[in-house]
Amino acid sequence: MTTDDILIAAESLTVGYPIGKGLFNRSVLNAVNGVSLSIRRGSFFGLVGESGSGKTTLGRALLKAAPITAGHARYSDGEVNYDLATLDGAALKDYRKRAQLIFQDPYAALSPRTTVRDIIAEPLEVMGITRTRSDTDDRVREIAAKCRLNLEHLRRFPHAFSGGQRQRISIARALVAGPRFIVADESVAALDVSIQADVLNLLKQLQRDLGLTFLFISHDLSVVAHTCDHVAVMYLGRLVETAPTRALFAAPRHPYTRALFSAIPSLDPDDRGRGQRLTGEIPSPLNQPTGCKFHTRCPHAIDQCRKVEPVLETSGDPSGEGHAVACHRWRELMETVPA
């Protein structure tokens, strides 16, 4: 993977929020802490982890919707090259056209008092992309058709639609401005399983047809396995493992990743009870443990884990894209502890 292939590149990215009042009672909550990753153009990049791990905050930071307090993040699509940490003014307005978000809840994301046509058209009007109503209508019809919505749907209000149809409306609104980068934040989590498959297949088709790049945030590893070509695992604001999807699912290296995989339901009754179960809760970002942040819940932790924070270490794999893991003991665990 060359530099020219990278659409989004983050290096030591940190997102912090000041909390507390007064001069002597102020602290910073780092929801994302020192994250480095690269998202290749045209890829479907998955980001997984428990609730509270910082997935949504990272996605918002890459959309310039959350404050980048340290580190760097760059967007480069061949036409422009933006440093997201300092982006503002006209460049920020232009970036809004190139990077969009698909929300999680298709019921709360749409105004109940606005027709589907006006919901989809709003980004065009706000960003000044189209000059006339006729141009706007043409663009709305074009993207609605790609999202499997017909002309009759455009005249209705959101309450007349099912969850899957509402999510297609949300997708159309995100794509109408012609973005290159899409953050899909748990975009199928609120849908039935059968509808999830339909929406996921639609996203994959749109990716191919429009040349889109996705950051797909999810807690459902079975969905990630079906959709994504590269996966990063996040815990307490940090990446603990990242790899091509096949490599990660074939041989997860970090104990946290193995525990997440153990939670995937199996139809084989002989598999019940196998694997590693997580105990306890994810620590508070305001009171993070020293050393490896996962050591308070890891059955394989040793003194080194409690004192020294591991770095994300990259090793080669057959895909040539690398398999990185932040764990002091991953090599010996791969040899002695079955996944």
Side-chain angles (χ1 to χ4, degrees):
M1 184 165 54
T2 65
T3 304
D4 293 339
D5 294 330
I6 304 301
L7 184 74
I8 295 284
E11 183 178 352
S12 301
L13 178 67
T14 297
V15 178
Y17 297 97
I19 60 174
K21 298 180 179 180
L23 294 176
F24 305 104
N25 191 30
R26 294 183 66 85
S27 57
V28 176
L29 187 156
N30 285 330
V32 176
N33 201 334
V35 167
S36 297
L37 58 80
S38 297
I39 302 177
R40 181 172 49 83
R41 294 181 194 176
S43 68
F44 220 107
F45 193 99
L47 184 63
V48 301
E50 293 174 283
S51 296
S53 60
K55 306 185 303 296
T56 294
T57 303
L58 177 57
R60 287 172 56 84
L62 296 179
L63 290 172
K64 188 57 178 178
I68 299 175
T69 52
H72 299 279
R74 289 201 167 274
Y75 169 92
S76 178
D77 63 9
E79 296 178 1
V80 297
N81 189 343
Y82 290 139
D83 182 351
L84 302 184
T86 59
L87 196 62
D88 60 8
L92 178 57
K93 184 177 180 180
D94 178 67
Y95 184 61
R96 292 283 180 252
K97 302 175 186 177
R98 300 172 185 270
Q100 285 289 317
L101 172 69
I102 300 173
F103 292 94
Q104 174 179 354
D105 189 349
Y107 294 90
L110 306 177
S111 171
R113 297 180 177 86
T114 308
T115 64
V116 171
R117 181 267 175 200
D118 291 340
I119 288 172
I120 299 175
E122 185 176 14
L124 299 175
E125 297 166 348
V126 170
M127 298 178 187
I129 296 174
T130 53
R131 295 183 178 275
T132 67
R133 183 178 179 86
S134 177
D135 291 341
T136 301
D137 287 340
D138 289 343
R139 177 58 181 163
V140 168
R141 293 191 192 103
E142 178 187 358
I143 201 64
K146 290 183 182 295
C147 295
R148 305 172 190 168
L149 300 167
N150 58 42
L151 292 179
E152 179 60 30
H153 290 153
L154 299 179
R155 303 186 184 99
R156 300 178 186 174
F157 290 85
H159 72 268
F161 297 93
S162 65
Q165 290 172 320
R166 293 189 192 196
Q167 195 60 290
R168 291 203 294 272
I169 296 169
S170 295
I171 293 169
R173 179 178 58 183
L175 298 182
V176 73
R180 311 283 182 86
F181 177 54
I182 301 292
V183 175
D185 187 4
E186 300 277 10
S187 54
V188 298
L191 306 178
D192 293 339
V193 175
S194 60
I195 305 301
Q196 283 186 9
D198 180 64
V199 173
L200 289 172
N201 290 333
L202 173 62
L203 293 179
K204 292 294 287 185
Q205 180 181 339
L206 291 169
Q207 179 202 19
R208 293 190 297 267
D209 294 347
L210 303 178
L212 301 174
T213 302
F214 277 87
L215 174 62
F216 187 77
I217 300 171
S218 179
H219 66 275
D220 191 334
L221 287 167
S222 58
V223 169
V224 169
H226 171 73
T227 309
C228 300
D229 45 52
H230 203 97
V231 183
V233 182
M234 200 166 185
Y235 183 80
L236 202 61
R238 294 163 172 80
L239 295 187
V240 297
E241 189 166 4
T242 177
T245 304
R246 288 188 178 183
L248 187 72
F249 277 74
R253 296 175 177 176
H254 198 283
Y256 178 61
T257 309
R258 292 185 173 200
L260 292 180
F261 281 17
S262 297
I264 300 176
S266 174
L267 297 178
D268 185 353
D270 294 332
D271 285 343
R272 292 178 182 175
R274 291 186 179 181
Q276 175 187 325
R277 294 185 178 182
L278 282 178
T279 58
E281 299 291 335
I282 188 169
S284 168
L286 286 174
N287 186 26
Q288 298 190 15
T290 58
C292 175
K293 308 309 173 186
F294 185 60
H295 85 257
T296 58
R297 306 169 71 190
C298 180
H300 311 293
I302 57 176
D303 285 342
Q304 182 186 19
C305 302
R306 300 180 182 93
K307 298 176 181 178
V308 181
E309 183 173 358
V311 297
L312 201 63
E313 177 186 9
T314 303
S315 62
D317 65 24
S319 72
E321 296 188 33
H323 188 150
V325 59
C327 177
H328 295 300
R329 304 188 62 199
W330 74 265
R331 287 186 176 85
E332 62 178 289
L333 292 178
M334 290 291 290
E335 297 174 356
T336 60
V337 181

